[in-house]
Structures are given as structure tokens and as C-alpha cells.
Amino acid sequence: MKTIPSLFDHLDNLLEKITGEKDLRPQDEVEKKYMLTQGFIAIIFLIAFGIVAKTIDAKMVLEFSQVFIFIMLTGMFIFYRARKIDNLILVFKISMIVVSSIYVLRMGGLFTSGGMFLLAAQAVTSSIILKKFWRILVVVSVFIVSMSLLLAFQPYFPTENALTFSQNKVIFGMSLFGVTGYIFFFSLFAVNLFTRMEQRETQRQKEMNDAKTRLYTNITHEFRTPLTVILGMADSVKNNGQENIAAKMDSIIKNGKNLMQLVDQMLDLSKLESGRMSVNKINANIIPFLKYVFQLQQFYAEEKHISMFFSAGSQSYELEFDPEKTAAVASNLLNNAIKFTPEGGQISMNVFAEEDLLCMEIKDNGIGIPPEKLDKIFDRFYQADDQNTRKEGGAGIGLAITREFVQLMQGSIEVKSSAGVGTVFSVKLPYISSANKPDLKEVENHPIYQERYSDTDNFSPNHLNSRQRLLIIEDNPDVVGYLKACYQEHYSIQVAKDGKEGFNMAVDEIPDIIISDVMMPEMDGFELCQKLKDDYRTSHIPIILLTAKADIPSRIEGLETGADAYVVKPFNQQELLVRMRKLLELRKKLFQRYSNGNGMQPSSDPVLQKEDEFFRKLKETIQNNLQNEDYNVPELCKDMAMSKSQLYRKFKALTGKSVARYIRTLRMQKARELLQTTSLNITEVGYEVGMKSLSTFSQIFKEEFGESPREFLNHQAEKAI
């Protein structure tokens, strides 16, 4: 009694090795095993069928065997390669019925074909593996229709290929015996497969429940510890006043960050499970970026007096990579190494190229991982619950997410470890070179266009390049490299290495937006922001302060100096990009008040008040010189104490117009006012607004208002009547 179950066990184990699929749906796995086994057994039966047919000289049966062997081999190959096979099985079963019916027809009908219709009946009985009723019904319907047609039209079929009486008996007996055994074997086999599937699903559910139990236990522990510290410190601050308040706040912030990291990991896990996680690649040198991520982790290593070393096979690996997920992978592995490396230990990160792969190796001399647990550390919610690892905490999510991210980027991750010696994690990502991508070098300054009094003369600082200008003020070259890698496809980027250089560059170049570090030599970010906002040449530029100082007083200080946003390192690339875009959009809306050149309503907004002051001075200067025909942009620049490029960019940011066009608009507005309110003739009005050529004055007036000065006066006279 144990022979058949034992056979099925061996067969199932063999099929496990053959299929090698670990991520198939249970139903697909069962169907694939069933069809591969069925094909193999059918081929053996068909070979025997063909040998008998050749022995008794049944040529049509021999041909049928050969054709069916080919069909079975083709089907096995397709089923082995396919992942979703429900519909393939349906088509295959119908094909078996149709082919069998064709050979029955060619042999004279049901009664002279050696019972070959039984092979078609086998296709019906084995369709039970499909499970879904409608698919089984389709197969049964095709069989019934085929057999009914064969029976109804039997008298009309040709009989030259019909089997003799003795041949018919032999083939019918073999078909009946073979198909009966076939159906019996595969009925038991299907039951065994479904039973095993249910057992595995039960085991999987048990493992999932155990994993969830571990997760809830670990999460509870992970939340309880920092919350205990936060609540305890908050209570201490409340009861003990200002005693050691800075250290207590640091402890609260640190534990709050730990909670935030845990929440972020849970959200990432949710996105991965729902399939909403996508890969967003940039083209850049990955080395400065990885150095930036590495340096952010050094702060935590210093607390345990751990030495950290970064090395690279080259200082330039230009390739496509996803910065967010690459940062998460490197940060998780470094953080894990720091967590399980004792005080005074060492951690190294080495980056190098290997054929078409970029390799990252993170090595530590920490507590190591026992060999029997190496294959489980990437499982979700798994923890090695021994004395050494449990005290370090963790919810068992970080390494699982790391592997998911690496696989999402089509890479691989491996680990080698020895207990008490150390651990080496190796990450390999596709090295897709960006050699054929757009040049990544810093964009040169745009030349300034000379303007004339013409409609085609609208100055645009983006004439050569449609992207807006971003000034990065940062003393860390790795952070600069990372920022450039993230945003060089969106902005024309300029770089200053400290606050003093950044201020001078901002005044000279008038960028569209600025990202500045806070802690810098010469001039820190707070002072820089204050000076730029106080200078009317740069007061309109949005400024984002980017810093590792996450405490509330630093944030408040930054915002009080006029910063438009305060972003904490490590920042989210997409979030910072959206912040920049929204600030530029908001600034554009705010300054629509200046675009028509008319008067402005007073504002209580300090930002608008400063720009209103600049604009009033500009307009007053131009109006005081309207009679001067030679008064132009260079003269206005002198009166405003600004260079031509400064005035152009500042004015363009405020109005979207060129300065020359604005001067012309003010001249024409003044001319229309004089024509309405005085008795001066057209020539005299032209002189009053610096236009001594009557034809030029008339042409420009018409372009501005849609009618000539004469037509304007005539319309005014008609209104007066």
C-alpha cells in the first residue's frame, strides 16, 4: 500500500528539481508538474503503441503515434517554459481531441479505428487538473461534439485506411488497457498533487502566521524601547526644567529617528508587496553619491568608536542607477554592520567594476552570522534570536527590503560570514554605462543677449537651454556630486564651495533657485540666506537650506532668515525636486503682479514688500527719463547700480518680460495718457516720450494698443460726442 505514495513522493521531488520554480502560484505549480509527467508517460505509451502498430502493419496507427509523440514533446517544452499555463492546457486538450478525431475519420470511423477515440476520452478525464468548471466544460463539449459528428457521418467516411478485424482487436485492447491505466494513475497523481499543494499552503500559512507573530513581537519591542526613552526624557524635561536639556533633546530626536526609520521600512515593504515600487534611474558618476551615503553613516559609527574606510577601483563610474534604492541598500548594509560591530571595530566599503557589473562590498569584523542561519537572514521578519543579536534589536525587515531593492534593480546580493570573525555583504548591480547619454559636465554660463527696441527682442536667460538655473552652495564635494547627479537633467547647475563664494556668485549670476548647506566655512547658510534676502538684486530667489541639523531651533532659525524651505539630510531626491519646482511655480504666481507695469496694491507680505520697493524704484527711474530718446537698458543699469545680466535676470524673474520691452511699454502708456489728458498733438507727444520719429512712434503705438495714435484720437473724439 505504501508503494504508490512512495512513488509519488519520489516523483514529486524529481519534478521539484526539474521545474526549479520558487515563485509560481500553487495551482500553476501543480498544473506544470501534472502536464510534464503526463507528457513523459504518454510518450512511453505512444512508443509502445507505435511498436505494436508496426508489428501488425497498422500504418495509420503508426503515423498517429509519431504525430502524437511530436505533439507531446512540443507541449512538454512549452509547459516547462511557461509560467501561466491554464489556457495552454485548455488548448492542448482540445488539440488532442481534434487530432484523435481526424485519425478516427481517416480510418473509417469509430468502429474501425481500434478504439482510438479512447485517447480523446483521456484528454477529457485529465482535464480535471484545470479545476475551473468552465474550462472543463469546454473540453467536454468539444469531445461530445466531435464524437457525435464522427458517429453521425460514419457511413460517409473513406475506409481504405480502416484496420482489419484482427488489427482492430489488438489496437482496441491496447488502447483500452493503456487509457484505463493512464486514467487510474493520473487520477491518483492529481489527488496527490492537490493534497501536497494544500499541505504546502497550510505550511506556508503557518509560517506566515509565525512570521507575523514574530513581527508583532519585534515591532512591539522596537516601538516600546524608543517610546520609553522619549516619554521618559520628556517627563524629565517637564519635571527637572533646564537641567541637561540639550542632551535630553538629542536623545529624543535620536529615538524619534529610529521610529521614523522603522515606519519607512514598513511602508517600503507595503509598496513592494503591492507592486507599486518602481525604478527611477539617473545617469551619473555613482562614486560621489556612494561617498555621500557612506559619510552619513560615519556619524553613527563614531558613537561606537568604529573606524570606517571607503575605497573605489576608480573615482568615476558613469552609469545608470536609482539613487533612492541604491542609497537604501548601502545605508541598510552599513547600518547593519555598525549595529553588529563592537566598539573599536572596523567597517570598510569597497566599490569596483567586474565585467558588466558594479560591485559593492561592505565588510566588518563584528559578531558574524552562524552558517546555519545565513540562508535565512534575507527572509522577511526573520531574526537570529541569540543573545548577541537580540540585544541589538531590529524587526527583521532591513535585509529583506535590501534584497528586494537589489532584485528590483536586476542585481544580486550575497553574504559570507564567520561567527566571531566578521561578515561581508556583496552587492552586484548591472553596469549600464552612460557613455552614450547626454554629457554630465557642469553647464557653462549662458551668454547675455544684447537687446534693441523690437518685439523679437525678449531677453530670455534660458534661450540657449530651456532649463532653469540652480546654484548649489556646498563645501562637501561628494554631496555636490550627488546633487548634480540627481538634478542635472532638470536644471543648469552652478556650484560654489562656501557661503562667501556662493553669495558673490548669486549676486553676479542671479540664479533661479539656490540650494545651500548650513555648516560652511567663511559664511554659514543662515548668514548667507539673510544677506541674499536683504539684497534687492537677489531677494526674489527661492532658497532651500540643506543640512544634517534636524533640531527644531535650527529649522526655526533657517526659516527666520528668509529660507523658503529647510530640508534635512539624508533627503529624498524626488521630494527635493518637487519642492524646487513648487517654489518656482509659487514665486512665478506671486510676481504676476508686476507683469503689466501698472501700479500695485500694498502688501503685508515681507517678500512682496521688498520686491515692490525694487519695482517702484525701477519704474520711477524709467519714468523720470522718458523724454530722453537715448535712455536705454545700459543707462538704466547704471541708475539701478546693477549689471546688465543682474537686471535682466531679476526683471525676467519678476515679470517674464525683457527690460527693453518694459521701457517701451511705459513710454507707450505715458503717450496714451498724454493723448487722453492734454491738447498736445501726436508729434509733441512723441517727443515727450522720447520718440522723435513720428513713423516709428505710430508703428510702436499701434503694436502696443492695436491702433495708431490718430485712430486712438478719433475714437476718443467719437466717445466725447
Side-chain angles (χ1 to χ4, degrees):
M1 292 297 291
K2 295 183 179 179
T3 304
I4 292 180
S6 177
L7 173 64
F8 287 153
D9 289 341
H10 290 303
L11 184 58
D12 190 71
N13 292 333
L14 177 63
L15 290 168
E16 279 286 318
K17 295 178 181 178
I18 293 174
T19 57
E21 298 286 354
K22 299 300 182 183
D23 54 350
L24 287 173
R25 291 186 309 127
Q27 177 66 22
D28 290 327
E29 184 180 350
V30 166
E31 290 171 353
K32 177 171 286 195
K33 290 178 179 179
Y34 184 89
M35 294 307 296
L36 289 176
T37 305
Q38 188 182 73
F40 179 73
I41 300 296
I43 290 172
I44 294 175
F45 173 76
L46 288 166
I47 291 173
F49 205 61
I51 292 172
V52 172
K54 185 173 179 61
T55 302
I56 64 175
D57 197 30
K59 296 180 180 179
M60 187 60 62
V61 177
L62 177 61
E63 179 186 325
F64 170 83
S65 300
Q66 293 170 339
V67 170
F68 241 78
I69 288 173
F70 174 76
I71 293 174
M72 286 294 175
L73 287 172
T74 304
M76 288 178 68
F77 176 77
I78 293 173
F79 291 131
Y80 176 76
R81 303 284 296 181
R83 298 184 62 81
K84 293 279 291 181
I85 60 177
D86 286 354
N87 293 329
L88 290 175
I89 294 175
L90 179 63
V91 172
F92 187 73
K93 295 299 179 184
I94 292 174
S95 300
M96 288 177 65
I97 295 171
V98 172
V99 172
S100 298
S101 299
I102 291 173
Y103 274 93
V104 169
L105 182 153
R106 292 177 63 190
M107 296 171 70
L110 297 173
F111 305 121
T112 56
S113 61
M116 287 177 58
F117 66 89
L118 292 173
L119 300 177
Q122 177 276 137
V124 176
T125 57
S126 63
S127 65
I128 191 68
I129 195 68
L130 290 169
K131 267 201 156 185
K132 287 193 176 179
F133 177 75
W134 73 268
R135 288 194 175 101
I136 298 173
L137 183 62
V138 169
V139 176
V140 172
S141 300
V142 172
F143 176 77
I144 292 174
V145 170
S146 300
M147 295 303 108
S148 300
L149 290 174
L150 288 172
L151 189 62
F153 292 98
Q154 168 122 2
Y156 305 101
F157 294 156
T159 58
E160 61 268 18
N161 295 317
L163 297 175
T164 65
F165 180 74
S166 59
Q167 288 174 331
N168 202 23
K169 285 197 301 181
V170 172
I171 298 300
F172 183 84
M174 189 172 182
S175 298
L176 182 62
F177 175 78
V179 170
T180 302
Y182 196 84
I183 292 173
F184 175 74
F185 176 84
F186 279 99
S187 296
L188 293 178
F189 186 54
V191 171
N192 180 269
L193 285 175
F194 282 119
T195 301
R196 279 177 167 267
M197 181 184 76
E198 292 171 357
Q199 290 173 347
R200 286 173 180 165
E201 182 64 18
T202 301
Q203 181 63 26
R204 192 186 71 83
Q205 290 293 337
K206 181 179 181 301
E207 291 175 355
M208 183 62 70
N209 290 333
D210 291 343
K212 288 180 179 179
T213 301
R214 288 198 305 272
L215 170 65
Y216 298 146
T217 302
N218 295 341
I219 289 289
T220 301
H221 175 82
E222 291 305 306
F223 273 100
R224 182 180 296 277
T225 301
L227 283 172
T228 299
V229 175
I230 291 171
L231 293 173
M233 289 296 178
D235 186 63
S236 177
V237 170
K238 180 180 179 181
N239 296 326
N240 300 328
Q242 302 298 314
E243 183 180 348
N244 295 324
I245 190 168
K248 293 172 182 177
M249 289 299 104
D250 288 340
S251 182
I252 289 174
I253 291 170
K254 179 180 178 180
N255 282 273
K257 285 183 176 179
N258 290 340
L259 286 175
M260 184 61 71
Q261 182 183 26
L262 184 59
V263 171
D264 289 342
Q265 287 180 340
M266 297 293 290
L267 291 174
D268 285 340
L269 199 59
S270 174
K271 287 182 180 179
L272 285 165
E273 288 181 337
S274 63
R276 292 184 290 112
M277 186 73 74
S278 59
V279 177
N280 302 303
K281 293 183 178 180
I282 62 173
N283 305 312
N285 180 7
I286 198 172
I287 296 300
F289 167 75
L290 290 176
K291 282 185 179 179
Y292 163 68
V293 175
F294 184 82
Q295 289 168 355
L296 289 175
Q297 294 295 325
Q298 281 183 308
F299 170 77
Y300 301 104
E302 288 172 359
E303 293 182 342
K304 294 179 69 174
H305 306 291
I306 295 173
S307 301
M308 295 187 69
F309 305 95
F310 182 93
S311 61
S314 170
Q315 291 304 306
S316 179
Y317 288 121
E318 305 281 355
L319 71 153
E320 293 182 342
F321 67 95
D322 185 320
E324 297 299 324
K325 292 168 188 60
T326 305
V329 169
S331 295
N332 280 342
L333 294 179
L334 287 168
N335 186 267
N336 209 60
I338 294 169
K339 185 186 296 184
F340 296 109
T341 298
E343 289 196 12
Q346 291 184 348
I347 296 172
S348 64
M349 180 175 180
N350 184 29
V351 183
F352 58 94
E354 187 178 86
E355 296 180 354
D356 57 347
L357 297 172
L358 182 85
C359 306
M360 292 186 292
E361 280 191 356
I362 295 174
K363 181 179 181 181
D364 66 65
N365 61 351
I367 62 176
I369 305 169
E372 67 274 11
K373 296 177 180 177
L374 277 177
D375 60 339
K376 298 180 180 179
I377 61 171
F378 293 111
D379 293 347
R380 293 180 184 180
F381 317 128
Y382 175 79
Q383 286 188 313
D385 290 317
D386 57 40
Q387 186 176 1
N388 290 326
T389 58
R390 181 63 262 171
K391 67 182 182 181
E392 296 296 339
I397 303 174
L399 287 178
I401 291 177
T402 298
R403 184 178 64 175
E404 298 273 8
F405 280 175
V406 170
Q407 291 176 346
L408 196 62
M409 295 186 287
Q410 299 180 328
S412 63
I413 182 169
E414 298 175 351
V415 58
K416 296 178 181 178
S417 184
S418 298
V421 178
T423 304
V424 180
F425 282 93
S426 299
V427 176
K428 296 181 180 180
L429 299 174
Y431 191 161
I432 303 173
S433 175
S434 60
N436 298 323
K437 301 293 180 180
D439 190 9
L440 303 178
K441 293 181 180 178
E442 185 176 340
V443 181
E444 299 294 331
N445 294 340
H446 298 152
I448 305 302
Y449 285 89
Q450 296 297 322
E451 289 189 315
R452 299 169 303 183
Y453 287 147
S454 68
D455 282 341
T456 60
D457 191 2
N458 289 329
F459 170 80
S460 172
N462 303 318
H463 186 83
L464 287 183
N465 191 319
S466 61
R467 295 178 295 179
Q468 292 173 297
R469 296 155 58 91
L470 166 64
L471 173 60
I472 298 173
I473 307 172
E474 169 65 64
D475 61 327
N476 188 317
D478 295 328
V479 178
V480 171
Y482 175 42
L483 287 167
K484 290 175 69 175
C486 291
Y487 305 121
Q488 61 201 345
E489 294 185 0
H490 303 278
Y491 296 95
S492 296
I493 296 178
Q494 296 171 298
V495 177
K497 66 178 181 296
D498 56 49
K500 185 176 180 181
E501 181 182 334
F503 175 77
N504 293 331
M505 190 175 289
V507 170
D508 291 339
E509 303 296 337
I510 314 296
D512 294 294
I513 191 166
I514 295 172
I515 293 177
S516 174
D517 190 18
V518 171
M519 303 300 293
M520 295 182 294
E522 299 292 338
M523 182 189 302
D524 66 25
F526 297 141
E527 184 182 354
L528 169 70
C529 186
Q530 187 71 58
K531 289 189 67 173
L532 289 174
K533 291 299 183 180
D534 287 342
D535 194 310
Y536 67 86
R537 295 169 294 183
T538 56
S539 57
H540 67 287
I541 303 173
I543 301 175
I544 298 175
L545 292 180
L546 188 65
T547 181
K549 297 181 67 175
D551 56 289
I552 297 300
S554 296
R555 288 172 177 262
I556 294 173
E557 183 179 358
L559 296 173
E560 284 182 342
T561 58
D564 297 88
Y566 195 94
V567 177
V568 178
K569 300 176 185 176
F571 58 88
N572 180 282
Q573 173 207 353
Q574 191 63 28
E575 178 189 3
L576 185 55
L577 179 63
V578 171
R579 278 179 177 264
M580 288 191 285
R581 186 172 70 243
K582 292 300 181 183
L583 282 175
L584 288 167
E585 290 175 359
L586 178 62
R587 193 54 49 95
K588 185 177 179 180
K589 291 178 181 179
L590 287 175
F591 294 144
Q592 285 177 349
R593 63 195 269 113
Y594 307 116
S595 60
N596 59 11
N598 296 325
M600 298 159 291
Q601 294 295 325
S603 173
S604 58
D605 188 332
V607 175
L608 290 181
Q609 287 176 354
K610 190 171 290 292
E611 304 312 327
D612 287 348
E613 181 182 347
F614 164 78
F615 211 82
R616 277 193 293 270
K617 180 180 179 182
L618 180 78
K619 186 174 181 180
E620 182 180 333
T621 302
I622 295 172
Q623 288 177 334
N624 290 339
N625 291 277
L626 284 181
Q627 288 183 309
N628 182 1
E629 185 180 19
D630 297 326
Y631 194 76
N632 54 20
V633 175
E635 294 294 325
L636 177 60
C637 290
K638 291 179 183 178
D639 292 339
M640 295 294 294
M642 299 175 71
S643 70
K644 185 180 290 188
S645 62
Q646 289 171 340
L647 182 60
Y648 274 142
R649 293 196 176 103
K650 171 89 175 181
F651 194 81
K652 187 73 175 179
L654 291 176
T655 68
K657 294 182 178 180
S658 69
V659 183
R661 181 62 182 259
Y662 182 71
I663 294 175
R664 193 181 80 169
T665 297
L666 287 184
R667 290 185 189 276
M668 293 304 102
Q669 287 177 350
K670 181 65 175 178
R672 185 172 63 174
E673 180 186 342
L674 292 174
L675 288 173
Q676 283 180 313
T677 59
T678 69
S679 58
L680 297 175
N681 60 38
I682 296 174
T683 302
E684 291 171 334
V685 169
Y687 271 85
E688 286 294 321
V689 295
M691 305 288 289
K692 294 181 180 179
S693 169
L694 180 60
S695 60
T696 301
F697 172 54
S698 297
Q699 178 184 349
I700 294 176
F701 190 94
K702 187 170 185 178
E703 290 172 355
E704 193 75 28
F705 301 115
E707 58 184 356
S708 67
R710 178 63 60 193
E711 291 169 340
F712 177 78
L713 284 175
N714 291 338
H715 287 153
Q716 293 298 313
E718 290 173 1
K719 291 179 183 178
I721 297 175

